[in-house]
């Protein structure tokens, strides 16, 4: 027995020694899950209160201006959300991990209506900012099918709100586009969303007093390029969060440590022709060593810095905004065509004041729900729903584990749970394939995924 244990120890030691340095480095951070091949970790270190930025997002500033307070905003948006069931799983989920379920755009509106007993406030403003994550479906569905599905789900979100009683809806990243023969996914989806919404509004069954406004926020970036980014207070149009810890796969929800591999070339050290200034890159530009997040247009690879969020709010409102930092006022720099939202307020098409603001969509507008959802999932991972279980006729350990543990129940995960149940109940289970009715078995909590073998 001692010899067997010794050889086991030696084998384990040798195996550990021949693991490649890259593999060891890749699993250096807490929360790595071999089954998902990613890090599952509710990230509270890099993003401000769960926002996908270093400060408030644009919808909060709009709520301050049109509803009187930042807190007069209720958010249903969740970072990572598809517009609907783009993965065709019959269960809405995040675009980047099937483990994180239940937060598609359509489902957000359904959840809202359920909580409101089916009645939406007709004097509130509803902002839908969604669609960016739908691009992840192109690989499986193709451009045209993805655009068609994405626009269908966007329309369904609008329909759900209108049928509940909503009158004023803002789609900040949509605009009317009459161009022909479009092939780019973003262009196709945008055009289809607007056309389908307009067709819906034209139906006799749709209330005449419903207003859907298109924000065309792409005009802001165009104006920054026209005026020069320095005029907007930026030092770079690249992104800030690239050095010691590079969040990925969800941004603020789960993270992957890419600091050892990104960037790996001079070409990769640039984003939109602007240096990323990665401190881990041999191409690091020391000029940026003391720059702050708001010196950059984007905070990370996909999400706006707080300065950009403020500029977006001033663009949509066509005015300066009040803030709760600095001198209390953030001045509008944008000087291009007025947004459709500001125009609609100015000409009386929609009110300038609302009871409250509701937001739906993805990380571009999420004020913290994504982090809340993921934190709960992370904390529950490996936990049983109940501490013990009474065996009934027809039960087996596999089904007991599958039905009584939180999280995605993959075969690999269920196997871990079965093994844990068997080990915790060896005083009454001699054979894991043989259990008996009326046995009360303990359902143990599994160790976190980093320690599971």
């Amino acid at each position: 027995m001692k010899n067997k244990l010794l050889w086991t120890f030696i084998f384990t030691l040798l195996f550990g020694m021949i693991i490649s340095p890259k593999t060891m480095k890749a699993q250096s951070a807490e929360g790595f899950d071999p089954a998902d091949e990613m890090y599952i970790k509710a990230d509270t270190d890099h993003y401000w209160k769960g926002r996908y930025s270093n400060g408030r997002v644009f919808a909060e500033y709009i709520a301050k201006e049109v509803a009187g307070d930042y807190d007069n905003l209720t958010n249903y948006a969740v970072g990572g959300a598809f517009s609907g069931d783009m993965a065709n799983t019959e269960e809405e989920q995040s675009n980047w991990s099937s483990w994180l379920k239940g937060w598609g755009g359509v489902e957000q509106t359904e959840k809202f209506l359920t909580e409101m007993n089916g009645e939406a406030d007709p004097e509130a403003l509803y902002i839908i900012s969604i669609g960016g994550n739908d691009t992840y479906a192109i690989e499986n569905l193709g451009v045209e099918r993805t655009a068609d599905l994405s626009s269908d789900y966007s329309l369904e979100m609008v329909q759900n709100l209108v049928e509940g009683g909503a009158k004023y809806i803002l789609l900040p990243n949509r605009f009317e586009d009459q161009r022909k023969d479009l092939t780019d996914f973003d262009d196709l989806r945008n055009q289809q969303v607007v056309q389908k919404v307009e067709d819906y509004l034209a139906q006799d069954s749709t209330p005449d007093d419903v207003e859907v406004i298109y924000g065309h926020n792409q005009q802001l970036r165009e104006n920054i390029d026209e005026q020069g980014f320095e005029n907007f207070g930026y030092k770079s149009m690249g992104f800030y969060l690239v050095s010691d810890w590079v969040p990925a796969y969800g941004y603020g929800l789960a993270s992957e440590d890419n600091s050892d591999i990104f960037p790996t070339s001079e070409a990769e050290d640039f984003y939109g022709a602007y240096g990323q200034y990665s401190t881990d890159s041999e191409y690091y530009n020391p000029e940026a060593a003391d720059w702050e997040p708001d010196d950059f247009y984007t905070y990370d690879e996909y999400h706006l810095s707080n300065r950009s969020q403020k500029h977006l709010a001033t663009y949509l409102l066509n005015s300066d905004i009040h803030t709760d930092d600095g001198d209390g006022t953030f001045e509008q720099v944008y000087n291009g065509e007025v947004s459709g939202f500001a125009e609609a307020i100015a000409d009386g098409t929609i009110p300038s004041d609302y009871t409250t603001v509701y937001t739906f969509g993805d990380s571009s507008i999420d004020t913290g729900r994504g982090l809340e959802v993921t934190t709960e999932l992370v904390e529950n991972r490996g936990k049983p729903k109940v501490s013990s279980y009474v065996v009934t006729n027809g039960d087996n350990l596999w089904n007991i584990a599958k039905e009584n543990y939180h999280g995605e129940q993959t075969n690999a995960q269920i196997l871990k749970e079965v093994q844990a149940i068997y080990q915790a109940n060896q005083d009454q289970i001699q054979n894991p394939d043989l259990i008996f009715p009326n046995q009360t078995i303990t359902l143990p909590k599994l160790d976190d995924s980093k320690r599971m073998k």
Side-chain angles (χ1 to χ4, degrees):
M1 182 66 180
K2 290 182 179 180
N3 287 337
K4 183 177 180 180
L5 290 173
L6 178 61
W7 281 111
T8 300
F9 171 76
I10 292 173
F11 175 78
T12 302
L13 181 63
L14 289 173
F15 179 77
M17 292 174 63
I18 63 174
I19 295 176
S20 71
K22 182 177 181 181
T23 300
M24 295 176 68
K25 180 96 174 183
Q27 298 189 18
S28 60
E30 177 187 356
F32 182 78
D33 180 6
D36 286 346
E37 296 184 346
M38 63 184 296
Y39 292 86
I40 299 297
K41 175 179 180 291
D43 186 351
T44 58
D45 298 332
H46 300 93
Y47 294 85
W48 187 77
K49 296 185 177 181
R51 278 76 167 167
Y52 291 75
S53 188
N54 56 304
R56 295 190 185 278
V57 300
F58 74 94
E60 293 175 285
Y61 295 114
I62 290 178
K64 171 68 173 176
E65 301 300 322
V66 305
D69 196 279
Y70 300 115
D71 293 334
N72 287 339
L73 181 149
T74 302
N75 173 59
Y76 286 85
V78 187
F82 281 128
S83 57
D85 185 17
M86 300 296 296
N88 194 29
T89 60
E90 298 183 357
E91 185 172 18
E92 298 184 49
Q93 62 188 50
S94 160
N95 73 72
W96 51 270
S97 173
S98 60
W99 175 65
L100 299 170
K101 298 180 183 295
W103 54 25
V106 171
E107 187 177 54
Q108 293 168 22
T109 59
E110 293 170 346
K111 176 180 176 64
F112 160 73
L113 289 171
T114 297
E115 293 183 354
M116 297 295 113
N117 296 317
E119 297 183 3
D121 180 358
E123 297 180 355
L125 174 65
Y126 300 84
I127 307 179
I128 299 175
S129 182
I130 198 166
N133 295 310
D134 291 352
T135 57
Y136 289 90
I138 293 176
E139 182 177 357
N140 294 325
L141 301 177
V143 169
E144 292 186 1
R145 178 57 179 158
T146 303
D148 189 45
L149 268 181
S150 180
S151 56
D152 280 347
Y153 288 131
S154 296
L155 171 63
E156 189 173 350
M157 294 177 71
V158 171
Q159 288 176 315
N160 286 345
L161 294 175
V162 170
E163 290 170 8
K167 289 185 178 181
Y168 308 113
I169 300 174
L170 169 62
L171 307 182
N173 56 354
R174 296 288 160 250
F175 61 96
E176 295 188 50
D177 186 355
Q178 304 302 325
R179 291 178 297 168
K180 305 292 184 181
D181 302 320
L182 299 177
T183 57
D184 178 76
F185 169 72
D186 289 331
D187 291 337
L188 280 171
R189 175 186 55 194
N190 172 74
Q191 191 176 69
Q192 290 182 26
V193 169
V194 173
Q195 186 60 59
K196 289 175 181 179
V197 168
E198 290 300 306
D199 289 345
Y200 168 67
L201 295 176
Q203 294 176 7
D204 293 338
S205 58
T206 304
D208 294 334
D209 56 354
V210 171
E211 298 291 344
V212 178
I213 307 300
Y214 310 113
H216 198 176
N217 63 15
Q218 294 85 348
Q219 292 185 138
L220 173 60
R221 176 58 191 263
E222 293 171 5
N223 193 250
I224 293 174
D225 291 339
E226 290 171 2
Q227 291 196 54
F229 63 83
E230 296 89 350
N231 288 333
F232 286 78
Y234 301 117
K235 295 180 180 179
S236 171
M237 292 297 284
F239 57 96
Y240 166 77
L241 196 57
V242 296
S243 57
D244 296 327
W245 179 272
V246 183
Y249 301 121
Y251 291 85
L253 305 184
S255 300
E256 179 183 32
D257 183 359
N258 282 333
S259 60
D260 60 327
I261 62 172
F262 177 76
T264 58
S265 68
E266 185 172 8
E268 290 180 4
D269 202 41
F270 281 79
Y271 179 79
Y274 297 96
Q276 296 171 350
Y277 309 108
S278 171
T279 58
D280 293 305
S281 168
E282 63 181 293
Y283 308 104
Y284 169 61
N285 183 344
E287 175 189 9
D290 297 322
W291 289 4
E292 299 296 328
D294 279 348
D295 291 328
F296 295 82
Y297 177 69
T298 47
Y299 182 61
D300 57 39
E301 189 175 0
Y302 298 112
H303 305 106
L304 299 178
S305 66
N306 179 241
R307 179 185 297 275
S308 298
Q309 298 281 359
K310 292 173 180 175
H311 280 305
L312 179 53
T314 66
Y315 158 72
L316 288 168
L317 292 163
N318 193 35
S319 68
D320 300 343
I321 59 172
H322 298 92
T323 65
D324 52 356
D325 56 12
D327 60 6
T329 301
F330 187 83
E331 295 182 357
Q332 180 182 10
V333 181
Y334 175 85
N335 63 4
E337 184 176 339
V338 176
S339 76
F341 182 62
E343 275 190 343
I345 291 176
D347 64 22
T349 300
I350 61 175
S352 58
D353 297 307
Y354 298 87
T355 54
T356 191
V357 175
Y358 293 98
T359 51
F360 307 87
D362 52 26
S363 56
S364 63
I365 201 169
D366 181 4
T367 60
R369 184 164 174 254
L371 184 59
E372 293 171 5
V373 170
T374 309
T375 298
E376 180 180 354
L377 289 168
V378 168
E379 290 177 349
N380 283 333
R381 191 168 196 168
K383 285 186 178 180
K385 299 175 183 177
V386 292
S387 60
S388 63
Y389 179 85
V390 178
V391 178
T392 61
N393 286 324
D395 277 340
N396 56 61
L397 292 187
W398 186 272
N399 288 335
I400 291 172
K402 182 177 181 180
E403 295 172 5
N404 289 282
Y405 278 84
H406 292 283
E408 184 183 18
Q409 293 299 79
T410 63
N411 287 341
Q413 182 67 17
I414 295 172
L415 180 58
K416 294 176 185 177
E417 293 159 359
V418 168
Q419 292 171 339
I421 294 171
Y422 171 59
Q423 291 172 2
N425 292 275
Q426 288 188 349
D427 59 328
Q428 59 176 323
I429 301 178
Q430 282 70 50
N431 183 341
D433 295 325
L434 189 62
I435 56 178
F436 301 95
N438 298 319
Q439 281 183 305
T440 299
I441 59 176
T442 298
L443 300 184
K445 178 184 181 301
L446 278 67
D447 291 338
D448 65 53
S449 58
K450 184 181 179 183
R451 293 195 297 269
M452 287 180 195
K453 303 298 182 184

